[in-house]
Amino acid sequence: MEPIGDDGIDGENTGRSSVNGHEIKFDIPGDETGENQNAQGMGLDSVYEFHDLVTVVNQGTQPVKLYSTYGGSKLADLALVTDDGVLRADPPKIDVGGRIDVGLFVDTHGSDVGEFVETLTIVAERVGGNQD
Amino acid sequence: MKRRKLLASVGSLTAAGAVGVSTGAFTSVEAERAFSVAVADDASALLRLVAVPGSANSEYVDVEDGQLTAALSGGNDSLLGDGVNAGAVTTVDDLFRIENQGTQTAYVWLLEDGGRNGSKRHAFYAGSWHEDATAVSIADFNGDLDALKGDGRQRQPPHDAGVTTAAVELGVGSHVDVGLVVDAAKGSAGSRILKDGQGPVVTATAERSSLANVLTPVYVPHSSSS
């Protein structure tokens, strides 16, 4: 796993996605020099999409469907997203050896001004669901 | 106009870290990942919304609970009047500013809710209405902007005035100052052009190719990061 390379200001890393130990984590705004230092966060009552923050690779032996769930209370919604939309009702299939670039969909309607740490659950499920 | 909403599709980063998902002998995997997020007021957000500094029309703009609002009505205590004139076209240059505080060029426009009738009598524009205006708001015609013609069939005041409609190209740190035109019909005194809470959705995308035809070619303001 590697942090974002060079898509921020002046080709610098934004830090919007990074590795914390062995796990990917997300920060909006990012904490690297490629982030706009004037921005303190997302606006109120808004919907933001940050595309292509991480690549998910299927290194297993079966095709999977990828989606996410969110049960937090600080945001109206939080989900994985691609250029084709939020990964929810009709999630994309990733074949064995396949990969997909995903980002974050964030809905701040009803949120307060402040800093929050929320949890996004990323789900990779075998195509066809639980057949065991 | 009263409360603004914001729909921003900010950021289309291409490089990425790789998350290996091993599917060797499982049915599903659920991995919880931390998401640290800051929610900011309009003046500090990635897409910044503020009154135009030094504008004579800043009295129409206020901040409520961190959000930019504007009122040209009796509900605005800063005004002596109760609204715009009936049977007249009223223009307010430099009402508020939209600034790109993201990390890449964004294409911005205002999407009006309320459908055809809700947006018929007003519009938002960049520049000076009487000199070089470009309309930057568009009516949400059943959610199908691509069905609109580029000649301004959205029937907003810019159409009658022969003003072009376009999205605004904002580089990082750039801004556009937005004005409001209201075309109030004769005999409409006492009525509302926009109801309380009804306002445009400020919309931004980093993907120029995704713009509806009616929003292109884009408008590039003569703004700086100042």
Side-chain angles (χ1 to χ4, degrees), chain A residues 1-2 7 24 26-28 36 40-42 45-49 51-52 55 57-61 114 116 118 120 122-124 126 130 132, chain B residues 6 8 10-11 13-19 21 23-24 27-31 33-40 44-46 67 101-103:
Chain A
M1 289 185 279
E2 298 179 356
D7 279 335
I24 282 285
F26 302 97
D27 296 276
I28 303 293
N36 191 319
Q40 297 179 13
M42 293 178 290
D45 290 348
S46 307
V47 176
Y48 281 75
E49 293 185 13
H51 287 193
D52 303 338
T55 298
V57 183
N58 182 355
Q59 298 184 149
T61 60
F116 314 106
E118 296 292 273
L120 177 70
I122 301 171
V123 182
R126 185 177 66 185
N130 188 347
D132 295 334
Chain B
L6 172 64
V10 179
L13 306 175
T14 55
V19 182
V21 179
T23 65
T27 299
S28 68
V29 172
E30 295 187 5
R33 293 295 179 265
F35 174 53
S36 298
V37 56
V39 179
S44 305
L46 288 159
Q67 297 188 56
Q101 296 196 139
T103 60

CSV table of all heavy atoms in Angstrom, one decimal, chain A residues 1-2 7 24 26-28 36 40-42 45-49 51-52 55 57-61 114 116 118 120 122-124 126 130 132, chain B residues 6 8 10-11 13-19 21 23-24 27-31 33-40 44-46 67 101-103:
chain,number,residue,atom,x,y,z
A,1,MET,N,0.8,-1.2,0.0
A,1,MET,CA,0.0,0.0,0.0
A,1,MET,C,0.9,1.2,0.0
A,1,MET,O,1.9,1.3,0.7
A,1,MET,CB,-0.9,0.0,1.2
A,1,MET,CG,-2.0,-1.1,1.2
A,1,MET,SD,-3.1,-1.0,2.5
A,1,MET,CE,-2.2,-1.9,3.8
A,2,GLU,N,0.5,2.2,-0.8
A,2,GLU,CA,1.3,3.4,-0.9
A,2,GLU,C,0.4,4.6,-0.9
A,2,GLU,O,-0.8,4.6,-1.3
A,2,GLU,CB,2.0,3.4,-2.3
A,2,GLU,CG,3.1,2.3,-2.4
A,2,GLU,CD,3.8,2.4,-3.7
A,2,GLU,OE1,3.4,3.2,-4.6
A,2,GLU,OE2,4.7,1.5,-3.9
A,7,ASP,N,-0.8,14.2,-7.1
A,7,ASP,CA,-2.0,14.9,-7.7
A,7,ASP,C,-2.4,16.1,-7.0
A,7,ASP,O,-3.5,16.7,-7.2
A,7,ASP,CB,-3.1,13.9,-7.8
A,7,ASP,CG,-3.0,13.0,-9.0
A,7,ASP,OD1,-2.3,13.4,-10.0
A,7,ASP,OD2,-3.5,11.9,-9.0
A,24,ILE,N,-5.1,1.5,5.2
A,24,ILE,CA,-5.4,2.7,4.5
A,24,ILE,C,-6.3,3.6,5.5
A,24,ILE,O,-7.2,3.1,6.1
A,24,ILE,CB,-6.2,2.4,3.2
A,24,ILE,CG1,-5.2,2.0,2.1
A,24,ILE,CG2,-6.9,3.7,2.7
A,24,ILE,CD1,-4.4,3.1,1.5
A,26,PHE,N,-8.2,7.7,5.6
A,26,PHE,CA,-8.6,8.9,4.8
A,26,PHE,C,-8.6,10.1,5.7
A,26,PHE,O,-9.0,10.1,6.8
A,26,PHE,CB,-10.0,8.6,4.2
A,26,PHE,CG,-10.1,7.4,3.3
A,26,PHE,CD1,-10.6,6.2,3.8
A,26,PHE,CD2,-9.7,7.5,2.0
A,26,PHE,CE1,-10.7,5.1,3.0
A,26,PHE,CE2,-9.8,6.3,1.2
A,26,PHE,CZ,-10.3,5.2,1.7
A,27,ASP,N,-8.1,11.2,5.1
A,27,ASP,CA,-8.2,12.5,5.8
A,27,ASP,C,-8.6,13.6,4.8
A,27,ASP,O,-8.0,13.8,3.8
A,27,ASP,CB,-6.8,12.9,6.3
A,27,ASP,CG,-6.3,11.9,7.4
A,27,ASP,OD1,-6.6,12.1,8.5
A,27,ASP,OD2,-5.5,11.0,7.0
A,28,ILE,N,-9.7,14.3,5.2
A,28,ILE,CA,-10.2,15.4,4.4
A,28,ILE,C,-10.3,16.6,5.3
A,28,ILE,O,-11.1,16.6,6.2
A,28,ILE,CB,-11.5,15.1,3.7
A,28,ILE,CG1,-11.5,13.9,2.8
A,28,ILE,CG2,-12.0,16.3,2.9
A,28,ILE,CD1,-10.6,14.0,1.6
A,36,ASN,N,-4.5,22.2,-0.3
A,36,ASN,CA,-4.7,23.6,-0.2
A,36,ASN,C,-4.7,24.1,1.2
A,36,ASN,O,-5.6,23.7,2.0
A,36,ASN,CB,-5.9,24.1,-1.0
A,36,ASN,CG,-6.0,25.6,-1.2
A,36,ASN,OD1,-5.6,26.3,-0.3
A,36,ASN,ND2,-6.4,26.0,-2.4
A,40,GLN,N,-10.1,24.6,5.2
A,40,GLN,CA,-10.2,23.9,6.5
A,40,GLN,C,-11.1,22.8,6.5
A,40,GLN,O,-11.3,22.1,7.6
A,40,GLN,CB,-10.5,25.0,7.6
A,40,GLN,CG,-9.5,26.1,7.7
A,40,GLN,CD,-9.9,27.1,8.8
A,40,GLN,OE1,-10.8,26.9,9.6
A,40,GLN,NE2,-9.2,28.2,8.8
A,41,GLY,N,-11.8,22.5,5.4
A,41,GLY,CA,-12.7,21.4,5.4
A,41,GLY,C,-13.7,21.5,4.3
A,41,GLY,O,-13.7,22.4,3.5
A,42,MET,N,-14.7,20.6,4.4
A,42,MET,CA,-15.8,20.6,3.5
A,42,MET,C,-16.8,21.6,4.0
A,42,MET,O,-17.0,21.8,5.2
A,42,MET,CB,-16.4,19.2,3.3
A,42,MET,CG,-15.4,18.2,2.6
A,42,MET,SD,-16.1,16.6,2.5
A,42,MET,CE,-16.1,16.1,4.2
A,45,ASP,N,-23.8,21.4,4.7
A,45,ASP,CA,-24.9,21.1,3.8
A,45,ASP,C,-24.5,20.9,2.4
A,45,ASP,O,-25.0,21.5,1.5
A,45,ASP,CB,-26.0,22.2,3.9
A,45,ASP,CG,-26.7,22.2,5.3
A,45,ASP,OD1,-26.5,21.2,6.0
A,45,ASP,OD2,-27.4,23.1,5.6
A,46,SER,N,-23.5,20.1,2.2
A,46,SER,CA,-22.9,19.9,0.9
A,46,SER,C,-22.7,18.4,0.6
A,46,SER,O,-22.7,17.6,1.5
A,46,SER,CB,-21.5,20.6,0.8
A,46,SER,OG,-21.6,22.0,1.2
A,47,VAL,N,-22.5,18.2,-0.7
A,47,VAL,CA,-22.1,16.8,-1.1
A,47,VAL,C,-20.8,16.9,-1.9
A,47,VAL,O,-20.7,17.7,-2.8
A,47,VAL,CB,-23.2,16.2,-2.0
A,47,VAL,CG1,-22.7,14.9,-2.5
A,47,VAL,CG2,-24.5,16.1,-1.2
A,48,TYR,N,-19.8,16.2,-1.4
A,48,TYR,CA,-18.5,16.2,-2.1
A,48,TYR,C,-18.2,14.8,-2.6
A,48,TYR,O,-18.6,13.8,-2.0
A,48,TYR,CB,-17.4,16.6,-1.1
A,48,TYR,CG,-17.2,18.1,-0.8
A,48,TYR,CD1,-18.2,18.8,0.0
A,48,TYR,CD2,-16.2,18.8,-1.4
A,48,TYR,CE1,-18.0,20.1,0.2
A,48,TYR,CE2,-16.0,20.2,-1.1
A,48,TYR,CZ,-17.0,20.8,-0.3
A,48,TYR,OH,-16.8,22.1,0.0
A,49,GLU,N,-17.5,14.8,-3.7
A,49,GLU,CA,-16.9,13.5,-4.2
A,49,GLU,C,-15.4,13.7,-4.4
A,49,GLU,O,-15.0,14.6,-5.1
A,49,GLU,CB,-17.6,13.0,-5.4
A,49,GLU,CG,-19.0,12.6,-5.3
A,49,GLU,CD,-19.6,12.1,-6.5
A,49,GLU,OE1,-18.9,11.8,-7.5
A,49,GLU,OE2,-20.9,12.0,-6.6
A,51,HIS,N,-12.6,11.6,-6.0
A,51,HIS,CA,-12.4,10.4,-6.8
A,51,HIS,C,-11.0,9.9,-6.7
A,51,HIS,O,-10.0,10.6,-6.5
A,51,HIS,CB,-12.8,10.7,-8.3
A,51,HIS,CG,-14.3,10.8,-8.5
A,51,HIS,ND1,-14.8,10.8,-9.7
A,51,HIS,CD2,-15.3,11.0,-7.6
A,51,HIS,CE1,-16.1,10.9,-9.6
A,51,HIS,NE2,-16.4,11.0,-8.4
A,52,ASP,N,-10.9,8.6,-6.9
A,52,ASP,CA,-9.6,7.9,-7.2
A,52,ASP,C,-8.6,8.2,-6.0
A,52,ASP,O,-7.5,8.6,-6.2
A,52,ASP,CB,-8.9,8.4,-8.5
A,52,ASP,CG,-9.8,8.1,-9.7
A,52,ASP,OD1,-10.7,7.3,-9.5
A,52,ASP,OD2,-9.7,8.8,-10.7
A,55,THR,N,-6.7,2.4,-4.9
A,55,THR,CA,-7.0,1.3,-5.8
A,55,THR,C,-7.2,0.0,-5.0
A,55,THR,O,-6.4,-0.3,-4.2
A,55,THR,CB,-5.8,1.1,-6.8
A,55,THR,OG1,-5.6,2.3,-7.6
A,55,THR,CG2,-6.1,-0.1,-7.7
A,57,VAL,N,-7.4,-4.0,-5.3
A,57,VAL,CA,-7.0,-5.1,-6.2
A,57,VAL,C,-7.5,-6.4,-5.6
A,57,VAL,O,-7.4,-6.7,-4.4
A,57,VAL,CB,-5.4,-5.1,-6.2
A,57,VAL,CG1,-5.0,-6.2,-7.2
A,57,VAL,CG2,-4.9,-3.8,-6.6
A,58,ASN,N,-8.1,-7.2,-6.5
A,58,ASN,CA,-8.6,-8.5,-6.1
A,58,ASN,C,-7.5,-9.5,-6.3
A,58,ASN,O,-7.2,-9.9,-7.5
A,58,ASN,CB,-9.8,-8.9,-7.0
A,58,ASN,CG,-10.4,-10.2,-6.6
A,58,ASN,OD1,-9.8,-10.9,-5.7
A,58,ASN,ND2,-11.5,-10.6,-7.2
A,59,GLN,N,-6.8,-9.9,-5.3
A,59,GLN,CA,-5.7,-10.8,-5.3
A,59,GLN,C,-6.1,-12.2,-4.9
A,59,GLN,O,-5.3,-13.1,-4.6
A,59,GLN,CB,-4.5,-10.3,-4.4
A,59,GLN,CG,-4.0,-9.0,-4.9
A,59,GLN,CD,-2.8,-8.5,-4.1
A,59,GLN,OE1,-1.9,-7.8,-4.6
A,59,GLN,NE2,-2.8,-8.9,-2.8
A,60,GLY,N,-7.4,-12.4,-4.9
A,60,GLY,CA,-7.9,-13.7,-4.5
A,60,GLY,C,-8.2,-14.7,-5.7
A,60,GLY,O,-7.5,-14.5,-6.7
A,61,THR,N,-9.1,-15.6,-5.5
A,61,THR,CA,-9.3,-16.6,-6.5
A,61,THR,C,-10.7,-16.5,-7.1
A,61,THR,O,-11.1,-17.3,-8.0
A,61,THR,CB,-9.1,-18.0,-5.9
A,61,THR,OG1,-10.0,-18.2,-4.8
A,61,THR,CG2,-7.7,-18.2,-5.5
A,114,GLY,N,-16.7,21.3,12.6
A,114,GLY,CA,-15.8,20.6,13.5
A,114,GLY,C,-15.0,19.5,12.8
A,114,GLY,O,-15.1,19.3,11.6
A,116,PHE,N,-14.1,15.4,12.9
A,116,PHE,CA,-14.7,14.2,13.3
A,116,PHE,C,-13.8,13.0,12.8
A,116,PHE,O,-13.2,13.1,11.7
A,116,PHE,CB,-16.1,14.0,12.8
A,116,PHE,CG,-16.9,15.3,12.9
A,116,PHE,CD1,-17.3,16.1,11.8
A,116,PHE,CD2,-17.4,15.6,14.2
A,116,PHE,CE1,-18.0,17.2,12.0
A,116,PHE,CE2,-18.2,16.8,14.3
A,116,PHE,CZ,-18.5,17.6,13.2
A,118,GLU,N,-14.6,9.3,11.7
A,118,GLU,CA,-15.7,8.3,11.4
A,118,GLU,C,-15.1,7.0,10.8
A,118,GLU,O,-13.9,7.0,10.5
A,118,GLU,CB,-16.7,8.9,10.4
A,118,GLU,CG,-17.4,10.1,10.9
A,118,GLU,CD,-18.4,9.8,12.0
A,118,GLU,OE1,-19.5,9.5,11.7
A,118,GLU,OE2,-17.9,9.9,13.2
A,120,LEU,N,-15.5,4.0,8.0
A,120,LEU,CA,-16.1,3.5,6.7
A,120,LEU,C,-15.8,2.0,6.7
A,120,LEU,O,-14.7,1.6,6.8
A,120,LEU,CB,-15.5,4.2,5.5
A,120,LEU,CG,-16.0,3.7,4.2
A,120,LEU,CD1,-17.5,4.1,4.0
A,120,LEU,CD2,-15.2,4.3,3.1
A,122,ILE,N,-15.5,-1.1,4.4
A,122,ILE,CA,-15.4,-1.5,3.0
A,122,ILE,C,-15.6,-3.0,2.9
A,122,ILE,O,-15.1,-3.8,3.6
A,122,ILE,CB,-13.9,-1.2,2.5
A,122,ILE,CG1,-13.7,0.3,2.7
A,122,ILE,CG2,-13.7,-1.7,1.1
A,122,ILE,CD1,-12.2,0.7,2.4
A,123,VAL,N,-16.5,-3.4,2.0
A,123,VAL,CA,-17.0,-4.8,1.9
A,123,VAL,C,-16.6,-5.3,0.5
A,123,VAL,O,-16.9,-4.7,-0.5
A,123,VAL,CB,-18.5,-4.9,2.1
A,123,VAL,CG1,-18.9,-6.4,2.0
A,123,VAL,CG2,-18.9,-4.3,3.4
A,124,ALA,N,-15.9,-6.4,0.5
A,124,ALA,CA,-15.7,-7.2,-0.7
A,124,ALA,C,-16.4,-8.5,-0.6
A,124,ALA,O,-16.0,-9.3,0.3
A,124,ALA,CB,-14.2,-7.4,-0.9
A,126,ARG,N,-18.0,-12.1,-2.3
A,126,ARG,CA,-18.0,-12.9,-3.5
A,126,ARG,C,-19.2,-12.8,-4.4
A,126,ARG,O,-20.3,-12.7,-3.8
A,126,ARG,CB,-17.9,-14.4,-3.0
A,126,ARG,CG,-17.7,-15.4,-4.2
A,126,ARG,CD,-17.5,-16.8,-3.6
A,126,ARG,NE,-18.7,-17.3,-2.9
A,126,ARG,CZ,-18.8,-18.4,-2.3
A,126,ARG,NH1,-17.7,-19.2,-2.2
A,126,ARG,NH2,-19.9,-18.8,-1.7
A,130,ASN,N,-23.1,-15.3,-0.2
A,130,ASN,CA,-22.6,-16.4,0.7
A,130,ASN,C,-23.3,-17.7,0.2
A,130,ASN,O,-24.5,-17.9,0.3
A,130,ASN,CB,-23.0,-16.2,2.1
A,130,ASN,CG,-22.4,-17.2,3.1
A,130,ASN,OD1,-21.9,-18.2,2.6
A,130,ASN,ND2,-22.5,-16.9,4.3
A,132,ASP,N,-21.8,-20.8,1.0
A,132,ASP,CA,-21.3,-21.9,1.8
A,132,ASP,C,-22.4,-22.5,2.6
A,132,ASP,O,-23.4,-21.9,2.9
A,132,ASP,CB,-20.2,-21.4,2.7
A,132,ASP,CG,-19.0,-20.9,1.9
A,132,ASP,OD1,-18.8,-21.4,0.8
A,132,ASP,OD2,-18.3,-20.0,2.4
B,6,LEU,N,-24.8,23.5,-1.4
B,6,LEU,CA,-23.6,23.3,-2.2
B,6,LEU,C,-23.5,21.9,-2.6
B,6,LEU,O,-23.6,20.9,-1.8
B,6,LEU,CB,-22.4,23.7,-1.3
B,6,LEU,CG,-21.0,23.3,-1.9
B,6,LEU,CD1,-20.8,24.1,-3.2
B,6,LEU,CD2,-19.9,23.6,-0.9
B,8,ALA,N,-20.7,19.9,-4.5
B,8,ALA,CA,-19.3,20.0,-5.0
B,8,ALA,C,-18.8,18.6,-5.4
B,8,ALA,O,-18.9,17.7,-4.6
B,8,ALA,CB,-18.4,20.7,-4.1
B,10,VAL,N,-15.5,17.8,-6.0
B,10,VAL,CA,-14.2,18.4,-6.0
B,10,VAL,C,-13.1,17.3,-5.9
B,10,VAL,O,-13.2,16.4,-5.0
B,10,VAL,CB,-14.0,19.3,-4.8
B,10,VAL,CG1,-12.6,19.9,-4.7
B,10,VAL,CG2,-15.0,20.4,-4.8
B,11,GLY,N,-12.2,17.3,-6.8
B,11,GLY,CA,-11.1,16.3,-6.8
B,11,GLY,C,-11.3,15.1,-7.7
B,11,GLY,O,-12.4,14.5,-7.6
B,13,LEU,N,-8.6,12.7,-8.3
B,13,LEU,CA,-7.2,12.3,-8.2
B,13,LEU,C,-7.0,11.0,-8.9
B,13,LEU,O,-7.8,10.1,-8.9
B,13,LEU,CB,-6.8,12.2,-6.7
B,13,LEU,CG,-7.1,13.4,-5.9
B,13,LEU,CD1,-6.8,13.2,-4.5
B,13,LEU,CD2,-6.3,14.6,-6.4
B,14,THR,N,-5.9,10.8,-9.6
B,14,THR,CA,-5.6,9.7,-10.4
B,14,THR,C,-4.7,8.7,-9.8
B,14,THR,O,-4.9,7.5,-9.9
B,14,THR,CB,-5.1,10.0,-11.8
B,14,THR,OG1,-4.0,10.8,-11.6
B,14,THR,CG2,-6.2,10.8,-12.5
B,15,ALA,N,-3.6,9.2,-9.1
B,15,ALA,CA,-2.7,8.2,-8.5
B,15,ALA,C,-3.4,7.6,-7.2
B,15,ALA,O,-4.3,8.2,-6.7
B,15,ALA,CB,-1.4,8.9,-8.1
B,16,ALA,N,-2.9,6.5,-6.8
B,16,ALA,CA,-3.5,5.9,-5.7
B,16,ALA,C,-2.6,4.9,-5.0
B,16,ALA,O,-1.7,4.4,-5.5
B,16,ALA,CB,-4.8,5.1,-6.2
B,17,GLY,N,-3.0,4.7,-3.7
B,17,GLY,CA,-2.4,3.6,-3.0
B,17,GLY,C,-3.1,2.3,-3.4
B,17,GLY,O,-4.2,2.4,-3.9
B,18,ALA,N,-2.6,1.2,-3.1
B,18,ALA,CA,-3.2,-0.1,-3.5
B,18,ALA,C,-3.6,-0.8,-2.2
B,18,ALA,O,-2.8,-1.0,-1.3
B,18,ALA,CB,-2.3,-0.9,-4.3
B,19,VAL,N,-4.9,-1.2,-2.1
B,19,VAL,CA,-5.3,-2.0,-1.0
B,19,VAL,C,-5.5,-3.4,-1.5
B,19,VAL,O,-6.4,-3.7,-2.3
B,19,VAL,CB,-6.7,-1.4,-0.5
B,19,VAL,CG1,-7.2,-2.3,0.7
B,19,VAL,CG2,-6.6,0.0,-0.1
B,21,VAL,N,-6.9,-6.9,-1.5
B,21,VAL,CA,-8.0,-7.6,-0.9
B,21,VAL,C,-7.9,-9.1,-1.3
B,21,VAL,O,-8.1,-9.5,-2.4
B,21,VAL,CB,-9.4,-7.1,-1.5
B,21,VAL,CG1,-10.5,-7.9,-0.9
B,21,VAL,CG2,-9.5,-5.6,-1.1
B,23,THR,N,-9.0,-12.7,-1.6
B,23,THR,CA,-10.3,-13.4,-1.6
B,23,THR,C,-10.1,-14.9,-1.7
B,23,THR,O,-11.0,-15.6,-2.2
B,23,THR,CB,-11.1,-13.0,-2.8
B,23,THR,OG1,-10.5,-13.4,-4.0
B,23,THR,CG2,-11.3,-11.5,-2.8
B,24,GLY,N,-9.0,-15.4,-1.3
B,24,GLY,CA,-8.6,-16.8,-1.5
B,24,GLY,C,-9.7,-17.8,-1.1
B,24,GLY,O,-10.1,-18.6,-1.8
B,27,THR,N,-16.0,-15.7,1.7
B,27,THR,CA,-17.2,-15.3,1.0
B,27,THR,C,-17.3,-13.8,1.0
B,27,THR,O,-17.7,-13.2,0.0
B,27,THR,CB,-18.5,-15.8,1.7
B,27,THR,OG1,-18.4,-17.2,1.7
B,27,THR,CG2,-19.7,-15.3,1.0
B,28,SER,N,-16.9,-13.1,2.1
B,28,SER,CA,-16.9,-11.7,2.1
B,28,SER,C,-15.9,-11.2,3.1
B,28,SER,O,-15.5,-11.9,4.0
B,28,SER,CB,-18.3,-11.1,2.4
B,28,SER,OG,-18.6,-11.4,3.7
B,29,VAL,N,-15.4,-10.0,2.9
B,29,VAL,CA,-14.6,-9.3,3.8
B,29,VAL,C,-15.1,-7.9,4.2
B,29,VAL,O,-15.6,-7.2,3.3
B,29,VAL,CB,-13.1,-9.1,3.3
B,29,VAL,CG1,-12.3,-8.3,4.2
B,29,VAL,CG2,-12.5,-10.5,3.0
B,30,GLU,N,-15.2,-7.6,5.4
B,30,GLU,CA,-15.6,-6.2,5.8
B,30,GLU,C,-14.4,-5.6,6.6
B,30,GLU,O,-14.0,-6.1,7.6
B,30,GLU,CB,-16.8,-6.3,6.7
B,30,GLU,CG,-18.0,-6.8,6.0
B,30,GLU,CD,-19.3,-6.6,6.9
B,30,GLU,OE1,-19.2,-6.1,8.0
B,30,GLU,OE2,-20.3,-7.1,6.5
B,31,ALA,N,-13.9,-4.6,6.0
B,31,ALA,CA,-12.7,-3.9,6.6
B,31,ALA,C,-13.1,-2.5,7.0
B,31,ALA,O,-13.5,-1.7,6.2
B,31,ALA,CB,-11.6,-3.9,5.5
B,33,ARG,N,-12.2,1.2,8.1
B,33,ARG,CA,-11.1,2.1,7.9
B,33,ARG,C,-11.5,3.5,8.4
B,33,ARG,O,-12.7,3.9,8.3
B,33,ARG,CB,-10.8,2.2,6.4
B,33,ARG,CG,-10.2,1.0,5.8
B,33,ARG,CD,-8.8,0.6,6.4
B,33,ARG,NE,-8.3,-0.6,5.9
B,33,ARG,CZ,-8.4,-1.8,6.5
B,33,ARG,NH1,-9.1,-1.9,7.6
B,33,ARG,NH2,-7.8,-2.8,6.0
B,34,ALA,N,-10.5,4.2,9.0
B,34,ALA,CA,-10.8,5.5,9.6
B,34,ALA,C,-10.9,6.6,8.6
B,34,ALA,O,-10.1,6.6,7.6
B,34,ALA,CB,-9.6,5.8,10.6
B,35,PHE,N,-11.8,7.5,8.8
B,35,PHE,CA,-12.0,8.6,7.9
B,35,PHE,C,-12.0,9.9,8.8
B,35,PHE,O,-13.0,10.1,9.6
B,35,PHE,CB,-13.2,8.5,7.1
B,35,PHE,CG,-13.6,9.7,6.3
B,35,PHE,CD1,-12.7,10.3,5.4
B,35,PHE,CD2,-14.8,10.3,6.4
B,35,PHE,CE1,-13.0,11.4,4.7
B,35,PHE,CE2,-15.2,11.4,5.7
B,35,PHE,CZ,-14.2,12.0,4.8
B,36,SER,N,-11.0,10.7,8.8
B,36,SER,CA,-10.9,11.9,9.5
B,36,SER,C,-11.4,13.0,8.6
B,36,SER,O,-10.9,13.2,7.5
B,36,SER,CB,-9.5,12.2,10.0
B,36,SER,OG,-9.0,11.2,10.9
B,37,VAL,N,-12.4,13.8,9.1
B,37,VAL,CA,-13.0,14.8,8.2
B,37,VAL,C,-13.2,16.1,9.0
B,37,VAL,O,-13.5,16.0,10.2
B,37,VAL,CB,-14.3,14.3,7.7
B,37,VAL,CG1,-15.3,13.9,8.8
B,37,VAL,CG2,-15.0,15.3,6.8
B,38,ALA,N,-13.0,17.2,8.4
B,38,ALA,CA,-13.3,18.5,8.9
B,38,ALA,C,-14.4,19.1,8.1
B,38,ALA,O,-14.3,19.1,6.9
B,38,ALA,CB,-12.0,19.3,8.9
B,39,VAL,N,-15.4,19.6,8.8
B,39,VAL,CA,-16.5,20.4,8.2
B,39,VAL,C,-16.3,21.8,8.6
B,39,VAL,O,-16.2,22.1,9.8
B,39,VAL,CB,-17.8,19.8,8.7
B,39,VAL,CG1,-18.9,20.7,8.0
B,39,VAL,CG2,-18.0,18.4,8.3
B,40,ALA,N,-16.2,22.7,7.6
B,40,ALA,CA,-15.9,24.1,7.9
B,40,ALA,C,-17.0,25.0,7.5
B,40,ALA,O,-17.9,24.6,6.7
B,40,ALA,CB,-14.6,24.5,7.1
B,44,SER,N,-14.3,29.1,4.9
B,44,SER,CA,-13.1,28.3,5.1
B,44,SER,C,-13.1,27.0,4.4
B,44,SER,O,-12.2,26.2,4.5
B,44,SER,CB,-12.8,28.0,6.6
B,44,SER,OG,-12.8,29.2,7.3
B,45,ALA,N,-14.1,26.8,3.6
B,45,ALA,CA,-14.3,25.5,2.9
B,45,ALA,C,-13.5,25.3,1.6
B,45,ALA,O,-13.0,26.3,1.1
B,45,ALA,CB,-15.8,25.3,2.6
B,46,LEU,N,-13.4,24.1,1.2
B,46,LEU,CA,-12.7,23.9,-0.1
B,46,LEU,C,-13.3,24.7,-1.2
B,46,LEU,O,-12.5,25.2,-2.1
B,46,LEU,CB,-12.8,22.4,-0.4
B,46,LEU,CG,-12.0,21.5,0.5
B,46,LEU,CD1,-12.5,20.0,0.4
B,46,LEU,CD2,-10.5,21.5,0.0
B,67,GLN,N,-23.1,29.7,7.2
B,67,GLN,CA,-23.5,29.6,5.8
B,67,GLN,C,-23.8,30.9,5.2
B,67,GLN,O,-24.5,31.7,5.9
B,67,GLN,CB,-24.6,28.6,5.6
B,67,GLN,CG,-24.3,27.2,6.0
B,67,GLN,CD,-25.4,26.2,5.7
B,67,GLN,OE1,-25.8,26.2,4.5
B,67,GLN,NE2,-25.9,25.5,6.6
B,101,GLN,N,-10.7,26.7,-3.3
B,101,GLN,CA,-9.6,26.4,-2.3
B,101,GLN,C,-9.3,25.0,-2.4
B,101,GLN,O,-8.8,24.4,-1.4
B,101,GLN,CB,-10.0,26.9,-0.9
B,101,GLN,CG,-10.2,28.4,-0.8
B,101,GLN,CD,-10.3,28.9,0.6
B,101,GLN,OE1,-9.7,29.9,0.9
B,101,GLN,NE2,-10.9,28.2,1.5
B,102,GLY,N,-9.5,24.3,-3.5
B,102,GLY,CA,-9.2,22.9,-3.7
B,102,GLY,C,-7.8,22.8,-4.2
B,102,GLY,O,-6.9,23.7,-4.0
B,103,THR,N,-7.5,21.7,-4.9
B,103,THR,CA,-6.1,21.4,-5.3
B,103,THR,C,-6.0,21.3,-6.8
B,103,THR,O,-5.0,21.0,-7.4
B,103,THR,CB,-5.6,20.1,-4.7
B,103,THR,OG1,-6.5,19.0,-5.1
B,103,THR,CG2,-5.6,20.2,-3.2
